[in-house]
Amino acid sequence: MTGRVIAIVPARGGSVGVPRKNLQQVGGRTLVDRAVSAARAAASIHDVVVSTDDAEIAEEARRAGAAVIARPAELATATASSESALLHAIAAHEVEPAIVVFLQATSPFIDPADLDAAVARVAAGEADAVFAAVATPVFLWRPRATGGWEGVNHDPAVRLRRQDLPPQVAETGAFYVLRAAGFRSARHRFFGRIEPQLTDERFAIDVDTEADLARARALAALADPAQPVHGTAHDPAHDPATVPATGSSPGPAAGATPEENRR
Protein backbone atom coordinates (compact mmCIF):
# COMPACT_ATOMS: atom_id res chain seq x y z
CA MET A 1 0.00 0.00 0.00
CA THR A 2 1.27 3.46 -0.88
CA GLY A 3 -0.29 6.83 -0.21
CA ARG A 4 -0.49 9.59 2.33
CA VAL A 5 -0.15 8.84 6.03
CA ILE A 6 -1.92 11.33 8.29
CA ALA A 7 -1.63 11.48 12.08
CA ILE A 8 -4.63 12.85 13.96
CA VAL A 9 -4.55 13.96 17.59
CA PRO A 10 -8.06 14.59 18.97
CA ALA A 11 -7.72 17.09 21.82
CA ARG A 12 -10.86 18.75 23.10
CA GLY A 13 -10.80 21.52 25.66
CA GLY A 14 -13.05 19.90 28.24
CA SER A 15 -11.96 17.20 30.66
CA VAL A 16 -13.63 15.52 33.60
CA GLY A 17 -10.78 13.91 35.53
CA VAL A 18 -8.06 16.55 35.09
CA PRO A 19 -8.99 20.17 34.27
CA ARG A 20 -7.50 21.37 30.95
CA LYS A 21 -5.86 17.97 30.70
CA ASN A 22 -4.46 18.25 27.20
CA LEU A 23 -2.53 21.38 28.17
CA GLN A 24 -1.05 19.91 31.34
CA GLN A 25 2.74 19.67 31.28
CA VAL A 26 4.86 16.53 31.61
CA GLY A 27 8.60 17.03 31.56
CA GLY A 28 8.16 20.73 30.79
CA ARG A 29 6.00 20.14 27.68
CA THR A 30 2.25 19.98 27.23
CA LEU A 31 0.56 16.70 26.42
CA VAL A 32 -0.51 18.14 23.05
CA ASP A 33 3.09 19.14 22.26
CA ARG A 34 4.36 15.69 23.17
CA ALA A 35 1.84 13.91 20.94
CA VAL A 36 2.48 16.21 17.98
CA SER A 37 6.25 15.92 18.39
CA ALA A 38 6.10 12.11 18.51
CA ALA A 39 4.07 12.03 15.29
CA ARG A 40 6.33 14.52 13.52
CA ALA A 41 9.40 12.50 14.50
CA ALA A 42 8.01 9.36 12.84
CA ALA A 43 9.59 8.95 9.39
CA SER A 44 6.47 7.33 7.90
CA ILE A 45 4.01 10.10 8.77
CA HIS A 46 3.46 12.89 6.25
CA ASP A 47 0.89 15.18 7.90
CA VAL A 48 0.05 15.85 11.55
CA VAL A 49 -3.23 17.49 12.52
CA VAL A 50 -4.91 18.26 15.82
CA SER A 51 -8.69 18.22 16.03
CA THR A 52 -9.91 20.58 18.72
CA ASP A 53 -12.69 22.90 19.80
CA ASP A 54 -10.36 24.96 21.98
CA ALA A 55 -8.46 28.12 20.92
CA GLU A 56 -5.61 27.63 23.40
CA ILE A 57 -5.09 24.01 22.36
CA ALA A 58 -5.16 25.10 18.71
CA GLU A 59 -2.45 27.67 19.39
CA GLU A 60 -0.32 25.10 21.20
CA ALA A 61 -0.77 22.58 18.39
CA ARG A 62 0.36 25.08 15.76
CA ARG A 63 3.35 26.03 17.90
CA ALA A 64 4.31 22.35 18.02
CA GLY A 65 4.12 22.15 14.22
CA ALA A 66 0.70 20.61 13.57
CA ALA A 67 -2.12 21.80 11.37
CA VAL A 68 -5.40 22.41 13.20
CA ILE A 69 -8.90 21.26 12.29
CA ALA A 70 -11.69 23.05 14.13
CA ARG A 71 -13.95 20.46 15.71
CA PRO A 72 -17.69 21.23 15.84
CA ALA A 73 -19.14 21.58 19.33
CA GLU A 74 -21.38 18.53 18.88
CA LEU A 75 -18.27 16.38 18.32
CA ALA A 76 -16.46 17.79 21.36
CA THR A 77 -18.76 16.70 24.18
CA ALA A 78 -17.84 14.23 26.91
CA THR A 79 -20.03 11.61 25.21
CA ALA A 80 -18.81 12.13 21.63
CA SER A 81 -16.65 9.29 20.35
CA SER A 82 -13.06 9.64 19.23
CA GLU A 83 -14.13 7.97 15.97
CA SER A 84 -16.49 10.85 15.20
CA ALA A 85 -13.63 13.35 15.58
CA LEU A 86 -11.35 11.21 13.40
CA LEU A 87 -13.92 10.89 10.61
CA HIS A 88 -14.54 14.64 10.69
CA ALA A 89 -10.81 15.38 10.53
CA ILE A 90 -10.30 13.00 7.61
CA ALA A 91 -13.13 14.64 5.69
CA ALA A 92 -11.78 18.11 6.44
CA HIS A 93 -8.18 17.31 5.48
CA GLU A 94 -7.35 18.33 1.93
CA VAL A 95 -5.48 15.12 1.03
CA GLU A 96 -7.16 11.70 1.04
CA PRO A 97 -5.04 9.47 3.33
CA ALA A 98 -4.22 5.81 2.80
CA ILE A 99 -3.38 5.29 6.47
CA VAL A 100 -4.62 7.11 9.57
CA VAL A 101 -2.54 7.24 12.74
CA PHE A 102 -4.73 8.08 15.73
CA LEU A 103 -2.70 9.32 18.71
CA GLN A 104 -4.03 10.16 22.14
CA ALA A 105 -2.35 13.09 23.84
CA THR A 106 -3.06 11.48 27.19
CA SER A 107 -0.23 9.01 26.49
CA PRO A 108 2.84 11.23 26.92
CA PHE A 109 5.58 8.71 26.07
CA ILE A 110 4.80 7.56 22.52
CA ASP A 111 7.91 6.28 20.77
CA PRO A 112 8.11 7.37 17.08
CA ALA A 113 9.80 4.04 16.28
CA ASP A 114 6.65 2.23 17.44
CA LEU A 115 4.54 4.44 15.18
CA ASP A 116 6.80 3.65 12.21
CA ALA A 117 6.66 -0.07 12.93
CA ALA A 118 2.85 -0.05 13.15
CA VAL A 119 2.50 2.00 9.95
CA ALA A 120 4.82 -0.40 8.12
CA ARG A 121 2.62 -3.35 9.11
CA VAL A 122 -0.53 -1.73 7.77
CA ALA A 123 1.27 -0.51 4.64
CA ALA A 124 2.54 -4.03 3.98
CA GLY A 125 -0.96 -5.49 4.28
CA GLU A 126 -0.14 -7.45 7.43
CA ALA A 127 -2.99 -5.77 9.32
CA ASP A 128 -5.93 -3.42 8.83
CA ALA A 129 -5.69 -2.02 12.35
CA VAL A 130 -2.72 -2.01 14.71
CA PHE A 131 -3.04 -0.87 18.32
CA ALA A 132 -0.46 -0.02 20.99
CA ALA A 133 -0.24 -2.74 23.60
CA VAL A 134 1.82 -4.23 26.39
CA ALA A 135 2.21 -7.91 27.23
CA THR A 136 0.14 -8.88 30.27
CA PRO A 137 0.98 -12.34 31.65
CA VAL A 138 -1.38 -11.91 34.60
CA PHE A 139 -4.17 -13.92 36.18
CA LEU A 140 -7.49 -12.07 35.95
CA TRP A 141 -10.54 -12.71 38.14
CA ARG A 142 -14.16 -11.52 38.06
CA PRO A 143 -17.12 -11.86 40.46
CA ARG A 144 -19.67 -14.62 39.86
CA ALA A 145 -23.34 -13.69 39.67
CA THR A 146 -23.99 -16.40 42.27
CA GLY A 147 -21.27 -15.19 44.62
CA GLY A 148 -17.54 -15.68 44.87
CA TRP A 149 -15.03 -15.11 42.07
CA GLU A 150 -13.92 -17.03 38.97
CA GLY A 151 -10.88 -17.01 36.71
CA VAL A 152 -11.20 -15.00 33.50
CA ASN A 153 -8.15 -15.97 31.46
CA HIS A 154 -7.16 -19.15 33.29
CA ASP A 155 -8.48 -22.27 34.95
CA PRO A 156 -7.81 -21.90 38.69
CA ALA A 157 -7.62 -25.69 38.97
CA VAL A 158 -4.69 -25.80 36.51
CA ARG A 159 -2.08 -23.37 37.77
CA LEU A 160 0.20 -22.61 34.82
CA ARG A 161 3.47 -20.80 35.19
CA ARG A 162 3.25 -17.22 33.95
CA GLN A 163 5.57 -18.02 31.06
CA ASP A 164 3.29 -20.88 30.01
CA LEU A 165 0.17 -18.73 29.72
CA PRO A 166 -1.12 -18.16 26.16
CA PRO A 167 -0.05 -14.82 24.64
CA GLN A 168 -2.20 -11.91 25.78
CA VAL A 169 -1.86 -8.15 25.66
CA ALA A 170 -3.51 -5.08 27.13
CA GLU A 171 -4.46 -2.10 25.01
CA THR A 172 -2.64 1.05 26.17
CA GLY A 173 -4.68 3.59 24.19
CA ALA A 174 -1.54 5.43 23.07
CA PHE A 175 -2.09 5.00 19.33
CA TYR A 176 -3.97 3.13 16.63
CA VAL A 177 -2.84 2.80 13.02
CA LEU A 178 -5.72 2.21 10.63
CA ARG A 179 -6.22 1.49 6.95
CA ALA A 180 -8.19 4.61 6.05
CA ALA A 181 -10.70 3.04 3.65
CA GLY A 182 -11.52 0.29 6.13
CA PHE A 183 -11.92 2.77 8.97
CA ARG A 184 -14.29 4.97 6.98
CA SER A 185 -16.38 1.91 6.15
CA ALA A 186 -16.41 0.40 9.65
CA ARG A 187 -16.58 3.79 11.43
CA HIS A 188 -14.75 2.15 14.32
CA ARG A 189 -11.06 1.75 15.12
CA PHE A 190 -11.22 -2.06 15.18
CA PHE A 191 -12.00 -3.81 11.90
CA GLY A 192 -10.57 -6.43 9.57
CA ARG A 193 -7.35 -8.05 10.73
CA ILE A 194 -6.28 -6.55 14.05
CA GLU A 195 -2.75 -6.80 15.42
CA PRO A 196 -1.02 -5.38 18.53
CA GLN A 197 2.15 -3.29 18.45
CA LEU A 198 4.04 -4.07 21.64
CA THR A 199 5.45 -1.02 23.40
CA ASP A 200 7.66 -0.42 26.42
CA GLU A 201 5.53 -1.30 29.43
CA ARG A 202 7.50 1.08 31.65
CA PHE A 203 6.00 4.07 29.86
CA ALA A 204 2.53 2.72 29.07
CA ILE A 205 0.55 5.30 30.99
CA ASP A 206 -2.74 6.97 30.11
CA VAL A 207 -3.37 10.24 31.95
CA ASP A 208 -6.96 10.19 33.14
CA THR A 209 -6.64 11.30 36.77
CA GLU A 210 -4.46 13.60 38.86
CA ALA A 211 -2.66 10.48 40.14
CA ASP A 212 -1.89 9.43 36.56
CA LEU A 213 -0.52 12.89 35.84
CA ALA A 214 1.74 12.75 38.90
CA ARG A 215 3.07 9.36 37.78
CA ALA A 216 3.73 10.64 34.27
CA ARG A 217 5.66 13.61 35.61
CA ALA A 218 7.75 11.31 37.78
CA LEU A 219 8.47 9.05 34.78
CA ALA A 220 9.47 11.90 32.48
CA ALA A 221 13.06 12.05 33.70
CA LEU A 222 13.50 8.38 32.83
CA ALA A 223 11.53 8.38 29.56
CA ASP A 224 12.58 11.63 27.93
CA PRO A 225 16.23 10.82 27.11
CA ALA A 226 14.89 8.28 24.59
CA GLN A 227 12.19 10.62 23.30
CA PRO A 228 12.58 13.15 20.47
CA VAL A 229 13.09 16.74 21.54
CA HIS A 230 10.72 19.10 19.76
CA GLY A 231 12.37 20.90 16.89
CA THR A 232 15.50 18.75 16.68
CA ALA A 233 14.65 15.09 16.17
CA HIS A 234 12.57 15.09 12.99
CA ASP A 235 13.44 15.44 9.34
CA PRO A 236 13.90 19.01 8.04
CA ALA A 237 11.07 18.35 5.60
CA HIS A 238 8.77 18.36 8.63
CA ASP A 239 10.10 21.64 10.02
CA PRO A 240 7.29 24.18 10.62
CA ALA A 241 9.10 26.69 8.40
CA THR A 242 8.69 24.38 5.38
CA VAL A 243 5.13 23.21 6.05
CA PRO A 244 2.54 24.99 3.89
CA ALA A 245 -0.33 26.75 5.59
CA THR A 246 -2.55 23.73 4.89
CA GLY A 247 -0.38 21.61 7.19
CA SER A 248 0.75 19.21 4.44
CA SER A 249 4.42 18.45 4.11
CA PRO A 250 6.47 16.25 1.77
CA GLY A 251 7.47 12.86 3.10
CA PRO A 252 8.09 9.20 2.28
CA ALA A 253 5.51 6.84 0.85
CA ALA A 254 3.44 4.80 3.29
CA GLY A 255 5.33 1.67 2.33
CA ALA A 256 8.76 3.16 2.99
CA THR A 257 11.04 1.27 5.34
CA PRO A 258 11.02 2.88 8.82
CA GLU A 259 14.25 4.29 10.17
CA GLU A 260 16.30 1.71 11.93
CA ASN A 261 16.24 1.40 15.38
CA ARG A 262 -7.81 10.82 25.83
CA ARG A 263 -9.04 12.66 23.12
Side-chain angles (χ1 to χ4, degrees):
M1 178 190 300
T2 59
R4 207 76 177 167
V5 179
I6 177 176
I8 303 174
V9 183
R12 66 189 186 93
S15 176
V16 177
V18 180
R20 305 295 287 164
K21 178 168 60 178
N22 288 310
L23 290 173
Q24 293 294 326
Q25 292 201 359
V26 170
R29 299 157 58 202
T30 65
L31 293 179
V32 167
D33 183 337
R34 298 182 74 96
V36 170
S37 295
R40 294 185 67 227
S44 58
I45 293 175
H46 301 91
D47 308 323
V48 182
V49 302
V50 171
S51 167
T52 187
D53 62 324
D54 185 271
E56 190 176 358
I57 290 176
E59 181 180 356
E60 176 69 357
R62 293 189 184 98
R63 186 203 65 77
V68 172
I69 292 176
R71 197 190 315 185
E74 63 270 20
L75 300 182
T77 66
T79 57
S81 68
S82 294
E83 279 83 351
S84 66
L86 295 174
L87 290 165
H88 174 264
I90 293 170
H93 192 59
E94 65 172 11
V95 179
E96 185 76 8
I99 295 174
V100 173
V101 181
F102 163 30
L103 294 89
Q104 300 208 93
T106 48
S107 294
F109 306 119
I110 297 174
D111 187 340
D114 289 334
L115 298 177
D116 281 332
V119 169
R121 296 172 72 184
V122 174
E126 296 176 9
D128 296 298
V130 176
F131 65 95
V134 292
T136 56
V138 296
F139 298 105
L140 299 176
W141 292 76
R142 65 186 172 198
R144 293 179 183 270
T146 56
W149 288 66
E150 63 183 355
V152 174
N153 62 341
H154 67 285
D155 180 353
V158 181
R159 192 64 172 184
L160 296 175
R161 298 179 303 168
R162 286 166 61 93
Q163 60 267 37
D164 293 330
L165 288 171
Q168 55 190 1
V169 300
E171 187 181 338
T172 72
F175 63 82
Y176 305 81
V177 177
L178 315 170
R179 183 170 56 82
F183 172 64
R184 285 195 301 270
S185 176
R187 305 183 71 81
H188 192 276
R189 73 191 74 176
F190 294 117
F191 58 91
R193 177 165 178 164
I194 302 166
E195 295 283 348
Q197 179 64 44
L198 291 180
T199 62
D200 191 332
E201 65 183 39
R202 295 175 300 169
F203 309 124
I205 183 170
D206 178 50
V207 177
D208 192 50
T209 66
E210 293 285 356
D212 294 332
L213 183 59
R215 287 174 52 222
R217 287 170 171 165
L219 277 172
L222 176 64
D224 282 349
Q227 298 294 314
V229 177
H230 172 64
T232 62
H234 47 74
D235 187 88
H238 290 259
D239 191 272
T242 66
V243 178
T246 60
S248 298
S249 61
T257 302
E259 294 177 348
E260 290 299 325
N261 20 7
R262 260 205 213 191
R263 67 183 189 276

